[in-house]
Amino acid sequence: SWIVVQNEATMTLSGVTLSNRTQFGLNISDSASVSLINNTVLDHVGVANGCQGAILVGGSATLSLNQAQISNSPGVAICVANGTTPTTVNVTKGTFAHNLRGIFNPTGSGATAVVTIDQSSFTNHAGDGITWNGFAGTSFTITNSTFTGNGQGGIDFEGTGGSLSLRNSTVSSNIGLGVFIGQSAATGVSADLGTQASPGLNTFTGNTGTGLSVGLFPGQTLQAVGNTWNASQQGADANGHYSTAPNYTPVPKTTQTSGTNWGITRSGVTLDL
């Protein structure tokens, strides 16, 4: 690794550029805390080999980005490789572009993290903007952010536990699915993409695959109320809406299908739109 921060160490990079390095950029472990602020940039850092991208974070470490950019890594921008110990990741006004993936944990294993993302963009990655296989205790809270132009999809969120909340965000023009929510067990992940009391106000348009694909187990309900979809497709109105203001009355879907706006992969699942 280029920079290793471990034990209980803290480090802040402010207005720093790290570029053109065929190693990990930052390796953060134990209970260390690292902040990237004030237009710090990691560009062309990492190698195309699993998690060997710009930043590797694990243990109970904390990673915070505020007005920082991670771009052009042949690996992933942020890889969380920690198992069941919660890692904390906070991103505000972050720019993730042209990496292998944005935020990721290794294939075949799971991770636990508390992640908040606001006013950030995940664009033009070779894979997904976010690829996550979660354990119980994981939570992703995403607001006011964009996932566009990614080569596999916007958000792939699945596993045996964890929750995803998405509000006021755009998941559009991705190659593949916009968002996939999948459970690896009957008591697996949950997601809140909008409720009657708190409409999502997200936009899912122009993805080459299904805008929202739901892979929950039978008996589960996923709420995605108050969002904008491809207009006049799969029952959406001419403005791309199912539930509408001011009441945002949910429109339930239960058919096992795959379409432009929504899809359900198992029978016995309800999707509230």
Side-chain angles (χ1 to χ4, degrees):
S1 302
W2 202 353
I3 299 174
V4 177
V5 188
Q6 59 188 10
N7 298 320
E8 298 179 1
T10 63
M11 183 181 72
T12 298
L13 299 179
S14 177
V16 173
T17 296
L18 305 176
S19 61
N20 299 315
R21 187 77 170 186
T22 53
Q23 291 177 300
F24 285 122
L26 302 174
N27 188 338
I28 309 163
S29 61
D30 303 318
S31 56
S33 178
V34 173
S35 296
L36 280 60
I37 62 174
N38 295 333
N39 299 311
T40 288
V41 175
L42 274 66
D43 185 69
H44 287 97
V45 173
V47 295
N49 183 12
C51 268
Q52 296 182 34
I55 299 176
L56 174 66
V57 57
S60 58
T62 297
L63 171 65
S64 299
L65 284 74
N66 192 327
Q67 294 184 315
Q69 173 181 315
I70 304 176
S71 54
N72 298 305
S73 175
V76 299
I78 298 173
C79 179
V80 180
N82 67 337
T84 58
T85 303
T87 292
T88 301
V89 179
N90 301 312
V91 181
T92 302
K93 297 181 180 178
T95 300
F96 299 79
H98 299 282
N99 305 293
L100 178 61
R101 294 181 178 88
I103 298 177
F104 173 75
N105 68 292
T107 301
S109 64
T112 309
V114 177
V115 181
T116 59
I117 300 170
D118 184 51
Q119 302 175 70
S120 298
S121 61
F122 294 75
T123 59
N124 299 315
H125 296 97
D128 302 305
I130 293 174
T131 306
W132 195 263
N133 178 23
F135 289 149
T138 290
S139 66
F140 273 64
T141 303
I142 304 173
T143 53
N144 307 302
S145 296
T146 59
F147 297 81
T148 60
N150 297 296
Q152 289 184 340
I155 301 172
D156 184 328
F157 192 84
E158 49 190 302
T160 58
S163 63
L164 168 69
S165 173
L166 186 68
R167 291 292 189 279
N168 299 291
S169 295
T170 298
V171 185
S172 296
S173 301
N174 297 289
I175 298 172
L177 303 176
V179 176
F180 175 71
I181 306 295
Q183 290 181 318
S184 300
T187 56
V189 302
S190 63
D192 171 9
L193 279 63
T195 67
Q196 185 172 10
S198 176
L201 305 179
N202 302 299
T203 299
F204 303 91
T205 56
N207 300 290
T208 61
T210 302
L212 170 61
S213 181
V214 181
L216 302 183
F217 273 62
Q220 305 294 309
T221 297
L222 189 148
Q223 293 191 301
V225 175
N227 299 302
T228 299
W229 310 83
N230 297 289
S232 304
Q233 299 289 324
Q234 286 187 284
D237 67 19
N239 294 313
H241 297 150
Y242 293 94
S243 50
T244 57
N247 295 324
Y248 289 105
T249 302
V251 177
K253 303 293 183 180
T254 58
T255 303
Q256 185 179 359
T257 189
S258 178
T260 302
N261 289 335
W262 58 271
I264 297 173
T265 65
R266 294 185 177 104
S267 62
V269 172
T270 298
L271 172 60
D272 284 342
L273 299 176

